Amino acid sequence: MNELGELYQEVILDHNRQPRNFHALEGANRRAEGHNPLCGDRLTLYIRMRGEVIDGIGFVGSGCAISKASASLMTEALKGKTRGEAESLFRVFHGLVTGDATEGGPGDKANGGPDLGKLVVFSGVRDYPVRVKCATLAWHTLRAALDNAETPATTE
């Protein structure tokens, strides 16, 4: 494994061991359940919106290291973002992990797209299709929460 791969792995392990924003959020006005039946990952996402801005975000649940780290890093990236920015970040992240990202596309910061920041640690997930569902569970749950969906989000 190269040095960059080792660094990415360490970031994922750190966020799995000590997930950020791992709590039920008081005052949340959006909530959604998420489930990845393939891996058994489950999470509940809590969001507090103030107008169109994500003022607070937290999650609880259990799952594999990739699922928990993805939720942790996602919550860090979304605090203070607007709904539109969150949806744009979803598309770019999804493209990153599925391999559908195109150079110069919406994730290209030079073209005004969102900066993935630490979320780039999941770039290698696209080489393991089963793990893509683990990495995207929190993101699909985010969409469900933003839409006030009544049914649980799933990776299927």
Side-chain angles (χ1 to χ4, degrees), residues 111-141:
N111 289 331
D115 179 7
L116 285 172
K118 291 181 182 178
L119 291 166
V120 299
V121 302
F122 294 99
S123 61
V125 169
R126 69 177 157 252
D127 296 333
Y128 305 94
V130 172
R131 293 295 178 204
V132 169
K133 293 181 180 205
C134 301
T136 60
L137 175 63
W139 294 87
H140 288 291
T141 308

PDB file of all heavy atoms in Angstrom, residues 111-141:
ATOM      1  N   ASN A 111     -13.875  24.589 -11.249  1.00  0.00           N
ATOM      2  CA  ASN A 111     -15.101  24.926 -11.977  1.00  0.00           C
ATOM      3  C   ASN A 111     -16.238  25.310 -11.041  1.00  0.00           C
ATOM      4  O   ASN A 111     -17.393  25.270 -11.417  1.00  0.00           O
ATOM      5  CB  ASN A 111     -15.532  23.756 -12.868  1.00  0.00           C
ATOM      6  CG  ASN A 111     -14.608  23.581 -14.045  1.00  0.00           C
ATOM      7  OD1 ASN A 111     -14.016  24.540 -14.514  1.00  0.00           O
ATOM      8  ND2 ASN A 111     -14.472  22.359 -14.526  1.00  0.00           N
ATOM      9  N   GLY A 112     -15.914  25.636  -9.801  1.00  0.00           N
ATOM     10  CA  GLY A 112     -16.929  26.088  -8.860  1.00  0.00           C
ATOM     11  C   GLY A 112     -17.651  24.971  -8.129  1.00  0.00           C
ATOM     12  O   GLY A 112     -18.598  25.226  -7.398  1.00  0.00           O
ATOM     13  N   GLY A 113     -17.237  23.726  -8.317  1.00  0.00           N
ATOM     14  CA  GLY A 113     -17.865  22.607  -7.626  1.00  0.00           C
ATOM     15  C   GLY A 113     -17.403  22.536  -6.184  1.00  0.00           C
ATOM     16  O   GLY A 113     -16.429  23.188  -5.791  1.00  0.00           O
ATOM     17  N   PRO A 114     -18.086  21.756  -5.358  1.00  0.00           N
ATOM     18  CA  PRO A 114     -17.709  21.652  -3.951  1.00  0.00           C
ATOM     19  C   PRO A 114     -16.394  20.903  -3.770  1.00  0.00           C
ATOM     20  O   PRO A 114     -16.061  20.002  -4.527  1.00  0.00           O
ATOM     21  CB  PRO A 114     -18.865  20.877  -3.324  1.00  0.00           C
ATOM     22  CG  PRO A 114     -19.465  20.104  -4.439  1.00  0.00           C
ATOM     23  CD  PRO A 114     -19.242  20.924  -5.687  1.00  0.00           C
ATOM     24  N   ASP A 115     -15.679  21.319  -2.762  1.00  0.00           N
ATOM     25  CA  ASP A 115     -14.433  20.655  -2.384  1.00  0.00           C
ATOM     26  C   ASP A 115     -14.783  19.498  -1.463  1.00  0.00           C
ATOM     27  O   ASP A 115     -15.448  19.689  -0.448  1.00  0.00           O
ATOM     28  CB  ASP A 115     -13.539  21.661  -1.672  1.00  0.00           C
ATOM     29  CG  ASP A 115     -12.215  21.082  -1.217  1.00  0.00           C
ATOM     30  OD1 ASP A 115     -11.904  19.926  -1.568  1.00  0.00           O
ATOM     31  OD2 ASP A 115     -11.485  21.789  -0.507  1.00  0.00           O
ATOM     32  N   LEU A 116     -14.361  18.297  -1.810  1.00  0.00           N
ATOM     33  CA  LEU A 116     -14.669  17.133  -0.989  1.00  0.00           C
ATOM     34  C   LEU A 116     -13.875  17.103   0.311  1.00  0.00           C
ATOM     35  O   LEU A 116     -14.256  16.406   1.244  1.00  0.00           O
ATOM     36  CB  LEU A 116     -14.421  15.847  -1.773  1.00  0.00           C
ATOM     37  CG  LEU A 116     -15.460  15.521  -2.831  1.00  0.00           C
ATOM     38  CD1 LEU A 116     -15.005  14.343  -3.673  1.00  0.00           C
ATOM     39  CD2 LEU A 116     -16.806  15.236  -2.206  1.00  0.00           C
ATOM     40  N   GLY A 117     -12.778  17.819   0.387  1.00  0.00           N
ATOM     41  CA  GLY A 117     -11.977  17.818   1.604  1.00  0.00           C
ATOM     42  C   GLY A 117     -11.564  16.411   1.991  1.00  0.00           C
ATOM     43  O   GLY A 117     -11.156  15.612   1.155  1.00  0.00           O
ATOM     44  N   LYS A 118     -11.736  16.079   3.261  1.00  0.00           N
ATOM     45  CA  LYS A 118     -11.331  14.763   3.765  1.00  0.00           C
ATOM     46  C   LYS A 118     -12.130  13.611   3.164  1.00  0.00           C
ATOM     47  O   LYS A 118     -11.719  12.460   3.235  1.00  0.00           O
ATOM     48  CB  LYS A 118     -11.474  14.711   5.292  1.00  0.00           C
ATOM     49  CG  LYS A 118     -10.492  15.563   6.034  1.00  0.00           C
ATOM     50  CD  LYS A 118     -10.717  15.422   7.535  1.00  0.00           C
ATOM     51  CE  LYS A 118      -9.789  16.304   8.325  1.00  0.00           C
ATOM     52  NZ  LYS A 118     -10.056  16.195   9.767  1.00  0.00           N
ATOM     53  N   LEU A 119     -13.265  13.907   2.560  1.00  0.00           N
ATOM     54  CA  LEU A 119     -14.098  12.849   1.976  1.00  0.00           C
ATOM     55  C   LEU A 119     -13.388  12.101   0.850  1.00  0.00           C
ATOM     56  O   LEU A 119     -13.801  11.006   0.479  1.00  0.00           O
ATOM     57  CB  LEU A 119     -15.424  13.428   1.472  1.00  0.00           C
ATOM     58  CG  LEU A 119     -16.366  13.900   2.569  1.00  0.00           C
ATOM     59  CD1 LEU A 119     -17.483  14.754   1.987  1.00  0.00           C
ATOM     60  CD2 LEU A 119     -16.938  12.718   3.337  1.00  0.00           C
ATOM     61  N   VAL A 120     -12.298  12.658   0.323  1.00  0.00           N
ATOM     62  CA  VAL A 120     -11.548  11.967  -0.737  1.00  0.00           C
ATOM     63  C   VAL A 120     -10.958  10.657  -0.241  1.00  0.00           C
ATOM     64  O   VAL A 120     -10.586   9.813  -1.052  1.00  0.00           O
ATOM     65  CB  VAL A 120     -10.443  12.842  -1.360  1.00  0.00           C
ATOM     66  CG1 VAL A 120     -11.021  14.087  -2.011  1.00  0.00           C
ATOM     67  CG2 VAL A 120      -9.372  13.187  -0.355  1.00  0.00           C
ATOM     68  N   VAL A 121     -10.916  10.450   1.073  1.00  0.00           N
ATOM     69  CA  VAL A 121     -10.378   9.189   1.597  1.00  0.00           C
ATOM     70  C   VAL A 121     -11.181   7.989   1.124  1.00  0.00           C
ATOM     71  O   VAL A 121     -10.687   6.863   1.171  1.00  0.00           O
ATOM     72  CB  VAL A 121     -10.257   9.168   3.146  1.00  0.00           C
ATOM     73  CG1 VAL A 121      -9.372  10.290   3.647  1.00  0.00           C
ATOM     74  CG2 VAL A 121     -11.611   9.208   3.810  1.00  0.00           C
ATOM     75  N   PHE A 122     -12.389   8.231   0.624  1.00  0.00           N
ATOM     76  CA  PHE A 122     -13.233   7.133   0.154  1.00  0.00           C
ATOM     77  C   PHE A 122     -13.052   6.843  -1.336  1.00  0.00           C
ATOM     78  O   PHE A 122     -13.756   5.997  -1.888  1.00  0.00           O
ATOM     79  CB  PHE A 122     -14.703   7.425   0.465  1.00  0.00           C
ATOM     80  CG  PHE A 122     -14.985   7.448   1.937  1.00  0.00           C
ATOM     81  CD1 PHE A 122     -15.060   8.652   2.621  1.00  0.00           C
ATOM     82  CD2 PHE A 122     -15.130   6.270   2.651  1.00  0.00           C
ATOM     83  CE1 PHE A 122     -15.293   8.677   3.985  1.00  0.00           C
ATOM     84  CE2 PHE A 122     -15.361   6.283   4.016  1.00  0.00           C
ATOM     85  CZ  PHE A 122     -15.441   7.498   4.683  1.00  0.00           C
ATOM     86  N   SER A 123     -12.092   7.481  -1.970  1.00  0.00           N
ATOM     87  CA  SER A 123     -11.905   7.289  -3.416  1.00  0.00           C
ATOM     88  C   SER A 123     -11.605   5.843  -3.780  1.00  0.00           C
ATOM     89  O   SER A 123     -12.022   5.373  -4.837  1.00  0.00           O
ATOM     90  CB  SER A 123     -10.807   8.208  -3.940  1.00  0.00           C
ATOM     91  OG  SER A 123      -9.573   7.919  -3.308  1.00  0.00           O
ATOM     92  N   GLY A 124     -10.923   5.111  -2.928  1.00  0.00           N
ATOM     93  CA  GLY A 124     -10.589   3.717  -3.217  1.00  0.00           C
ATOM     94  C   GLY A 124     -11.748   2.759  -3.086  1.00  0.00           C
ATOM     95  O   GLY A 124     -11.681   1.614  -3.545  1.00  0.00           O
ATOM     96  N   VAL A 125     -12.854   3.217  -2.500  1.00  0.00           N
ATOM     97  CA  VAL A 125     -14.023   2.353  -2.294  1.00  0.00           C
ATOM     98  C   VAL A 125     -14.587   1.879  -3.631  1.00  0.00           C
ATOM     99  O   VAL A 125     -15.101   0.769  -3.742  1.00  0.00           O
ATOM    100  CB  VAL A 125     -15.094   3.091  -1.453  1.00  0.00           C
ATOM    101  CG1 VAL A 125     -16.412   2.351  -1.444  1.00  0.00           C
ATOM    102  CG2 VAL A 125     -14.596   3.292  -0.038  1.00  0.00           C
ATOM    103  N   ARG A 126     -14.456   2.703  -4.661  1.00  0.00           N
ATOM    104  CA  ARG A 126     -15.022   2.326  -5.972  1.00  0.00           C
ATOM    105  C   ARG A 126     -14.438   1.023  -6.498  1.00  0.00           C
ATOM    106  O   ARG A 126     -15.034   0.367  -7.333  1.00  0.00           O
ATOM    107  CB  ARG A 126     -14.853   3.463  -6.980  1.00  0.00           C
ATOM    108  CG  ARG A 126     -13.434   3.707  -7.396  1.00  0.00           C
ATOM    109  CD  ARG A 126     -13.361   4.815  -8.453  1.00  0.00           C
ATOM    110  NE  ARG A 126     -12.038   5.390  -8.446  1.00  0.00           N
ATOM    111  CZ  ARG A 126     -11.740   6.591  -7.984  1.00  0.00           C
ATOM    112  NH1 ARG A 126     -12.678   7.350  -7.494  1.00  0.00           N
ATOM    113  NH2 ARG A 126     -10.506   7.024  -8.010  1.00  0.00           N
ATOM    114  N   ASP A 127     -13.268   0.626  -6.005  1.00  0.00           N
ATOM    115  CA  ASP A 127     -12.656  -0.634  -6.423  1.00  0.00           C
ATOM    116  C   ASP A 127     -13.282  -1.843  -5.730  1.00  0.00           C
ATOM    117  O   ASP A 127     -12.956  -2.983  -6.057  1.00  0.00           O
ATOM    118  CB  ASP A 127     -11.153  -0.614  -6.131  1.00  0.00           C
ATOM    119  CG  ASP A 127     -10.419   0.446  -6.935  1.00  0.00           C
ATOM    120  OD1 ASP A 127     -10.895   0.800  -8.048  1.00  0.00           O
ATOM    121  OD2 ASP A 127      -9.381   0.942  -6.460  1.00  0.00           O
ATOM    122  N   TYR A 128     -14.175  -1.598  -4.773  1.00  0.00           N
ATOM    123  CA  TYR A 128     -14.829  -2.657  -4.010  1.00  0.00           C
ATOM    124  C   TYR A 128     -16.340  -2.389  -4.019  1.00  0.00           C
ATOM    125  O   TYR A 128     -16.878  -1.799  -3.079  1.00  0.00           O
ATOM    126  CB  TYR A 128     -14.300  -2.695  -2.571  1.00  0.00           C
ATOM    127  CG  TYR A 128     -12.808  -2.832  -2.528  1.00  0.00           C
ATOM    128  CD1 TYR A 128     -11.983  -1.704  -2.433  1.00  0.00           C
ATOM    129  CD2 TYR A 128     -12.201  -4.081  -2.627  1.00  0.00           C
ATOM    130  CE1 TYR A 128     -10.595  -1.838  -2.425  1.00  0.00           C
ATOM    131  CE2 TYR A 128     -10.823  -4.214  -2.618  1.00  0.00           C
ATOM    132  CZ  TYR A 128     -10.030  -3.087  -2.522  1.00  0.00           C
ATOM    133  OH  TYR A 128      -8.665  -3.205  -2.517  1.00  0.00           O
ATOM    134  N   PRO A 129     -17.038  -2.811  -5.061  1.00  0.00           N
ATOM    135  CA  PRO A 129     -18.458  -2.475  -5.224  1.00  0.00           C
ATOM    136  C   PRO A 129     -19.338  -2.771  -4.007  1.00  0.00           C
ATOM    137  O   PRO A 129     -20.276  -2.012  -3.731  1.00  0.00           O
ATOM    138  CB  PRO A 129     -18.881  -3.318  -6.432  1.00  0.00           C
ATOM    139  CG  PRO A 129     -17.617  -3.518  -7.202  1.00  0.00           C
ATOM    140  CD  PRO A 129     -16.523  -3.609  -6.172  1.00  0.00           C
ATOM    141  N   VAL A 130     -19.045  -3.810  -3.269  1.00  0.00           N
ATOM    142  CA  VAL A 130     -19.849  -4.118  -2.087  1.00  0.00           C
ATOM    143  C   VAL A 130     -19.703  -3.011  -1.046  1.00  0.00           C
ATOM    144  O   VAL A 130     -20.656  -2.688  -0.328  1.00  0.00           O
ATOM    145  CB  VAL A 130     -19.438  -5.489  -1.495  1.00  0.00           C
ATOM    146  CG1 VAL A 130     -20.107  -5.745  -0.167  1.00  0.00           C
ATOM    147  CG2 VAL A 130     -19.760  -6.598  -2.473  1.00  0.00           C
ATOM    148  N   ARG A 131     -18.538  -2.403  -0.968  1.00  0.00           N
ATOM    149  CA  ARG A 131     -18.281  -1.350   0.020  1.00  0.00           C
ATOM    150  C   ARG A 131     -18.859   0.001  -0.377  1.00  0.00           C
ATOM    151  O   ARG A 131     -19.009   0.887   0.460  1.00  0.00           O
ATOM    152  CB  ARG A 131     -16.776  -1.216   0.278  1.00  0.00           C
ATOM    153  CG  ARG A 131     -16.201  -2.429   0.971  1.00  0.00           C
ATOM    154  CD  ARG A 131     -16.809  -2.538   2.333  1.00  0.00           C
ATOM    155  NE  ARG A 131     -16.327  -3.706   3.042  1.00  0.00           N
ATOM    156  CZ  ARG A 131     -17.006  -4.280   4.005  1.00  0.00           C
ATOM    157  NH1 ARG A 131     -18.179  -3.824   4.356  1.00  0.00           N
ATOM    158  NH2 ARG A 131     -16.526  -5.315   4.618  1.00  0.00           N
ATOM    159  N   VAL A 132     -19.205   0.183  -1.656  1.00  0.00           N
ATOM    160  CA  VAL A 132     -19.821   1.437  -2.097  1.00  0.00           C
ATOM    161  C   VAL A 132     -21.109   1.673  -1.319  1.00  0.00           C
ATOM    162  O   VAL A 132     -21.395   2.785  -0.880  1.00  0.00           O
ATOM    163  CB  VAL A 132     -20.080   1.422  -3.625  1.00  0.00           C
ATOM    164  CG1 VAL A 132     -20.963   2.596  -4.043  1.00  0.00           C
ATOM    165  CG2 VAL A 132     -18.755   1.453  -4.383  1.00  0.00           C
ATOM    166  N   LYS A 133     -21.880   0.615  -1.097  1.00  0.00           N
ATOM    167  CA  LYS A 133     -23.134   0.743  -0.347  1.00  0.00           C
ATOM    168  C   LYS A 133     -22.874   1.152   1.097  1.00  0.00           C
ATOM    169  O   LYS A 133     -23.650   1.907   1.678  1.00  0.00           O
ATOM    170  CB  LYS A 133     -23.932  -0.547  -0.419  1.00  0.00           C
ATOM    171  CG  LYS A 133     -24.431  -0.818  -1.824  1.00  0.00           C
ATOM    172  CD  LYS A 133     -25.243  -2.069  -1.915  1.00  0.00           C
ATOM    173  CE  LYS A 133     -25.692  -2.251  -3.357  1.00  0.00           C
ATOM    174  NZ  LYS A 133     -26.884  -3.023  -3.466  1.00  0.00           N
ATOM    175  N   CYS A 134     -21.790   0.679   1.659  1.00  0.00           N
ATOM    176  CA  CYS A 134     -21.427   1.061   3.027  1.00  0.00           C
ATOM    177  C   CYS A 134     -21.100   2.552   3.086  1.00  0.00           C
ATOM    178  O   CYS A 134     -21.526   3.259   3.995  1.00  0.00           O
ATOM    179  CB  CYS A 134     -20.220   0.253   3.509  1.00  0.00           C
ATOM    180  SG  CYS A 134     -20.459  -1.529   3.497  1.00  0.00           S
ATOM    181  N   ALA A 135     -20.342   3.022   2.106  1.00  0.00           N
ATOM    182  CA  ALA A 135     -19.913   4.415   2.078  1.00  0.00           C
ATOM    183  C   ALA A 135     -21.058   5.376   1.782  1.00  0.00           C
ATOM    184  O   ALA A 135     -21.032   6.529   2.213  1.00  0.00           O
ATOM    185  CB  ALA A 135     -18.794   4.596   1.056  1.00  0.00           C
ATOM    186  N   THR A 136     -22.077   4.915   1.047  1.00  0.00           N
ATOM    187  CA  THR A 136     -23.149   5.823   0.640  1.00  0.00           C
ATOM    188  C   THR A 136     -24.395   5.768   1.524  1.00  0.00           C
ATOM    189  O   THR A 136     -25.289   6.588   1.361  1.00  0.00           O
ATOM    190  CB  THR A 136     -23.561   5.566  -0.831  1.00  0.00           C
ATOM    191  OG1 THR A 136     -24.014   4.217  -0.968  1.00  0.00           O
ATOM    192  CG2 THR A 136     -22.412   5.849  -1.778  1.00  0.00           C
ATOM    193  N   LEU A 137     -24.456   4.847   2.459  1.00  0.00           N
ATOM    194  CA  LEU A 137     -25.650   4.732   3.301  1.00  0.00           C
ATOM    195  C   LEU A 137     -25.996   6.047   3.988  1.00  0.00           C
ATOM    196  O   LEU A 137     -27.143   6.505   3.937  1.00  0.00           O
ATOM    197  CB  LEU A 137     -25.489   3.624   4.350  1.00  0.00           C
ATOM    198  CG  LEU A 137     -26.660   3.517   5.344  1.00  0.00           C
ATOM    199  CD1 LEU A 137     -27.955   3.163   4.623  1.00  0.00           C
ATOM    200  CD2 LEU A 137     -26.333   2.497   6.426  1.00  0.00           C
ATOM    201  N   ALA A 138     -25.041   6.673   4.644  1.00  0.00           N
ATOM    202  CA  ALA A 138     -25.321   7.926   5.352  1.00  0.00           C
ATOM    203  C   ALA A 138     -25.817   9.000   4.387  1.00  0.00           C
ATOM    204  O   ALA A 138     -26.698   9.801   4.722  1.00  0.00           O
ATOM    205  CB  ALA A 138     -24.073   8.414   6.084  1.00  0.00           C
ATOM    206  N   TRP A 139     -25.268   8.997   3.184  1.00  0.00           N
ATOM    207  CA  TRP A 139     -25.642  10.001   2.183  1.00  0.00           C
ATOM    208  C   TRP A 139     -27.060   9.797   1.677  1.00  0.00           C
ATOM    209  O   TRP A 139     -27.801  10.761   1.476  1.00  0.00           O
ATOM    210  CB  TRP A 139     -24.625   9.980   1.042  1.00  0.00           C
ATOM    211  CG  TRP A 139     -23.284  10.435   1.516  1.00  0.00           C
ATOM    212  CD1 TRP A 139     -22.307   9.663   2.088  1.00  0.00           C
ATOM    213  CD2 TRP A 139     -22.792  11.772   1.515  1.00  0.00           C
ATOM    214  NE1 TRP A 139     -21.229  10.445   2.420  1.00  0.00           N
ATOM    215  CE2 TRP A 139     -21.500  11.738   2.080  1.00  0.00           C
ATOM    216  CE3 TRP A 139     -23.308  12.979   1.072  1.00  0.00           C
ATOM    217  CZ2 TRP A 139     -20.721  12.886   2.219  1.00  0.00           C
ATOM    218  CZ3 TRP A 139     -22.529  14.125   1.210  1.00  0.00           C
ATOM    219  CH2 TRP A 139     -21.254  14.065   1.777  1.00  0.00           C
ATOM    220  N   HIS A 140     -27.463   8.545   1.461  1.00  0.00           N
ATOM    221  CA  HIS A 140     -28.842   8.279   1.066  1.00  0.00           C
ATOM    222  C   HIS A 140     -29.800   8.629   2.212  1.00  0.00           C
ATOM    223  O   HIS A 140     -30.906   9.121   1.985  1.00  0.00           O
ATOM    224  CB  HIS A 140     -29.015   6.816   0.636  1.00  0.00           C
ATOM    225  CG  HIS A 140     -28.384   6.522  -0.683  1.00  0.00           C
ATOM    226  ND1 HIS A 140     -28.860   7.023  -1.868  1.00  0.00           N
ATOM    227  CD2 HIS A 140     -27.280   5.797  -1.003  1.00  0.00           C
ATOM    228  CE1 HIS A 140     -28.092   6.610  -2.866  1.00  0.00           C
ATOM    229  NE2 HIS A 140     -27.128   5.863  -2.357  1.00  0.00           N
ATOM    230  N   THR A 141     -29.352   8.401   3.432  1.00  0.00           N
ATOM    231  CA  THR A 141     -30.153   8.750   4.599  1.00  0.00           C
ATOM    232  C   THR A 141     -30.269  10.264   4.716  1.00  0.00           C
ATOM    233  O   THR A 141     -31.323  10.787   5.101  1.00  0.00           O
ATOM    234  CB  THR A 141     -29.553   8.122   5.869  1.00  0.00           C
ATOM    235  OG1 THR A 141     -29.357   6.712   5.655  1.00  0.00           O
ATOM    236  CG2 THR A 141     -30.462   8.312   7.072  1.00  0.00           C
TER     237      THR A 141
END
